[in-house]
Amino acid sequence: MVFGLQVKRGKESGFRYFTVLNCGSIGCPAREMNPGESRNQTWDGFGRKPVEGVGLMKQRTRTFLVARGGLALALLVLAFETPLPAQQSLHQQIDALLQAGRQEQGALSTDAEFLRRISLDLVGQIPTAEEVRTFLEDKSADKRVQRIDQLLADRRYARAMREKFHVMLMERRGDDPEWQAFLRDAFTQNRSWTSMVRSMLNPDEKAEQTRGSAFFLTKRLEKYGQNPTDYPGLTRDIGRLFLGVDLQCAQCHDHLFIDDYKQLDFQGMYAFTLNTFIRGDTKFPAIGEKVMKKPLEFQSVFIQEKKMTGPRLVGRDAVEIATFEKDQEFAQPPDKKTGFPGKPKFSPLSLLAEQMTTQDNERFSRNIANRIWYLMLGKGLVYPLDLHHGDNPPTHPELLSLLARQFAEHDFDIKWLIREIALSESYQRSGVLVGAGKITGKRAYEIFAEKPLSSEQLCWSMLRATGELSLLKKSGDNLKKDSDGDAAEAAEPQTVEQQLEAIHEKFRVAYANPPREPEGEFAPSVRAALFVLNNDTVLEWLKPRDGNLVDRLVGLES
């Protein structure tokens, strides 16, 4: 066994390489490295390669040299070296920061409480009765870790993340099948957040797998009634959703109440989007850009002094606008026959996508780390989520910096970050408050905060609890068995899918926020209360039929 100690390399001749995962424990077992193997591999704690799709975290390994020819020499070398503590994993560092200085810690959640929470967060619905029984009867010490990894590998994970990020990014503005396909594929393949954002800000209509990402821009460029295209709204949303800054009130002057937000910040972001338009030559969402020939002029309503800026990311220098001779502005010239608008050589959107997603853009990494923390813990380290500024600091600054830094170091791997948060004791705390008093500020994570269910989570969970989800799938299977030919088989999943979508739409109408409103805190309404009491679909679920929950309960009574 080789432990987490640093050993001098010495001569390579006659030595064997061992590698050990930085698992936060001095007892991590070592594994001998194969000849020619990379010395920065990712392994689990037992010398095995990680199982693809389980979502194991990426961690650096350390390489050690142990002399061939006996344990004594190895121990002699180790004895003269200063032991270095193995690097803690992120979830251990999260707990260390949140527990620092506390005399007592809140209790961990019960297994039943944990299973319900992790199921809702990772696959968007409550567990089945059989899943609950199996988990509660499991006596293995690492069953929570196993369950987290199982759910991360579950096909429902991609659907749940698609639903969560659709609500976060589009804020109930509407939907598009190409956009849904983009999100579904991104989470199925575990694409990095930087890759997703680059696709959204600079969509490529030729890339069939990602072209639906353009819906993020095209939906916001749609005109409503006689109103002009809302370029200021698009500018605001890019700042809010990707940088965590709401510059709406800095459009015409420096923000009156937030010193950090300047008019130059808004106008610089505005210059990236001002020449964009919805293309009319495609049957799917697609964005075009007009040629940008000069900087954007602006002035404050309070100070009559004209200023200019090129495209400028918040906190960075403006981009110098490249100019070209007449008829030389396009990398791909327009085509009047097909309606193709052309692609300018100078593309502000491509610059925006490139600059936004660099690893050194702290606003970008802190914003998304804060949003994922919010999705998992129910409250942001910075809240509201889109108001990062000096007068609204994080409740735990060191923690947000840690999350953002390590997320960037792990190539903005969303599944990795979610797994690390889920593994933390802070996430696994009980939601039961023992004793009196209100827990706020630095003590905010002593217990787990209550989280409202989204309309999607509520719908899936009610379908699951009443047994209707199983009945829908069963009816789809029966339809498939009774059908002949490829056409019938292709139509079958659409039938079930259409039924599910119709049900979800009813729940969205009852429980979701109005379009363009972020969904943050729980907002009870009379409409939602009346829905569960009077909606025909819900009431139908409460009638005994075909082995649903009520039918089984009636059978128990008899």
Side-chain angles (χ1 to χ4, degrees), residues 159 161-184 211-220 222 224 283-286 455-456 460 497-498 500-502 504-505 508 512-513 515-516:
R159 185 198 68 205
M161 290 300 113
R162 182 196 72 195
E163 291 171 347
K164 291 175 187 288
F165 276 74
H166 170 63
V167 173
M168 181 181 79
L169 293 168
M170 298 309 300
E171 297 175 332
R172 307 291 185 184
R173 281 176 167 84
D175 211 342
D176 183 273
E178 295 264 359
W179 165 255
Q180 289 294 334
F182 161 70
L183 290 178
R184 182 192 63 238
R211 68 188 186 188
S213 61
F215 185 69
F216 177 85
L217 297 175
T218 59
K219 189 62 180 178
R220 289 170 166 86
E222 288 181 1
Y224 295 90
K283 295 181 179 179
F284 49 83
S455 69
E456 289 80 9
W460 284 116
E497 194 172 303
Q498 288 171 354
L500 286 170
E501 176 55 30
H504 273 287
E505 180 58 25
R508 284 192 289 267
N513 278 10
R516 300 175 185 79

Side-chain angles (χ1 to χ4, degrees), residues 244-459:
V245 293
D246 187 349
L247 300 173
Q248 180 182 30
C249 294
Q251 179 179 352
C252 303
H253 48 74
D254 290 349
H255 201 292
L256 296 178
F257 307 110
I258 301 176
D259 292 340
D260 293 352
Y261 296 174
K262 305 300 183 184
Q263 187 182 17
L264 178 60
D265 294 328
F266 180 92
Q267 296 295 334
M269 294 293 291
Y270 188 51
F272 281 113
T273 64
L274 186 57
N275 291 293
T276 58
F277 59 90
I278 302 174
R279 284 175 52 175
D281 61 318
T282 63
K283 295 181 179 179
F284 49 83
I287 285 289
E289 288 184 276
K290 300 175 185 176
V291 175
M292 189 173 193
K293 298 180 178 180
K294 61 180 182 179
L296 176 65
E297 290 188 1
F298 67 96
Q299 66 180 20
S300 170
V301 295
F302 299 129
I303 303 173
Q304 304 301 312
E305 177 185 349
K306 288 188 177 182
K307 298 180 180 180
M308 293 192 303
T309 183
R312 176 184 176 273
L313 198 67
V314 177
R316 307 225 171 174
D317 295 331
V319 176
E320 184 177 350
I321 298 173
T323 57
F324 304 91
E325 297 293 330
K326 187 178 180 180
D327 298 328
Q328 299 299 313
E329 303 99 334
F330 288 93
Q332 298 178 40
D335 187 334
K336 292 183 178 180
K337 291 183 179 179
T338 63
F340 174 62
K343 286 188 177 293
K345 292 179 179 177
F346 179 76
S347 167
L349 285 184
S350 65
L351 292 170
L352 174 62
E354 178 184 345
Q355 291 189 6
M356 179 74 77
T357 57
T358 57
Q359 281 205 357
D360 63 347
N361 185 357
E362 290 187 4
R363 285 185 177 86
F364 176 75
S365 55
R366 287 167 69 87
N367 169 69
I368 186 58
N370 186 57
R371 287 178 178 273
I372 292 176
W373 180 266
Y374 165 79
L375 288 177
M376 295 294 288
L377 273 294
K379 49 191 169 187
L381 295 164
V382 173
Y383 197 83
L385 302 177
D386 54 10
L387 284 179
H388 291 241
H389 58 82
D391 294 328
N392 185 37
T395 56
H396 299 73
E398 291 183 7
L399 177 55
L400 181 56
S401 296
L402 172 70
L403 294 171
R405 183 177 66 253
Q406 290 214 11
F407 191 35
E409 289 174 355
H410 284 80
D411 299 324
F412 295 91
D413 184 335
I414 294 174
K415 185 178 284 190
W416 172 84
L417 182 58
I418 287 176
R419 182 180 191 272
E420 285 296 314
I421 293 173
L423 286 171
S424 70
E425 290 184 0
S426 305
Y427 175 83
Q428 296 185 28
R429 293 259 173 241
S430 171
V432 178
L433 174 61
V434 179
K438 188 176 182 181
I439 295 180
T440 58
K442 293 291 184 182
R443 299 183 60 205
Y445 297 100
E446 286 186 21
I447 66 169
F448 193 86
E450 289 184 343
K451 293 198 302 184
L453 295 179
S454 68
S455 69
E456 289 80 9
Q457 288 174 317
L458 183 60
C459 183

Side-chain angles (χ1 to χ4, degrees), residues 126-127 460-469 548-550 552:
I126 58 174
W460 284 116
S461 296
M462 288 183 67
L463 282 166
R464 172 69 72 192
T466 58
E468 290 298 317
L469 187 58
N548 68 358
L549 175 64
V550 178
R552 296 198 303 273

Side-chain angles (χ1 to χ4, degrees), residues 487-507:
E489 291 194 7
E492 176 271 313
Q494 293 180 352
T495 302
V496 176
E497 194 172 303
Q498 288 171 354
Q499 291 181 62
L500 286 170
E501 176 55 30
I503 295 169
H504 273 287
E505 180 58 25
K506 293 178 180 180
F507 275 75

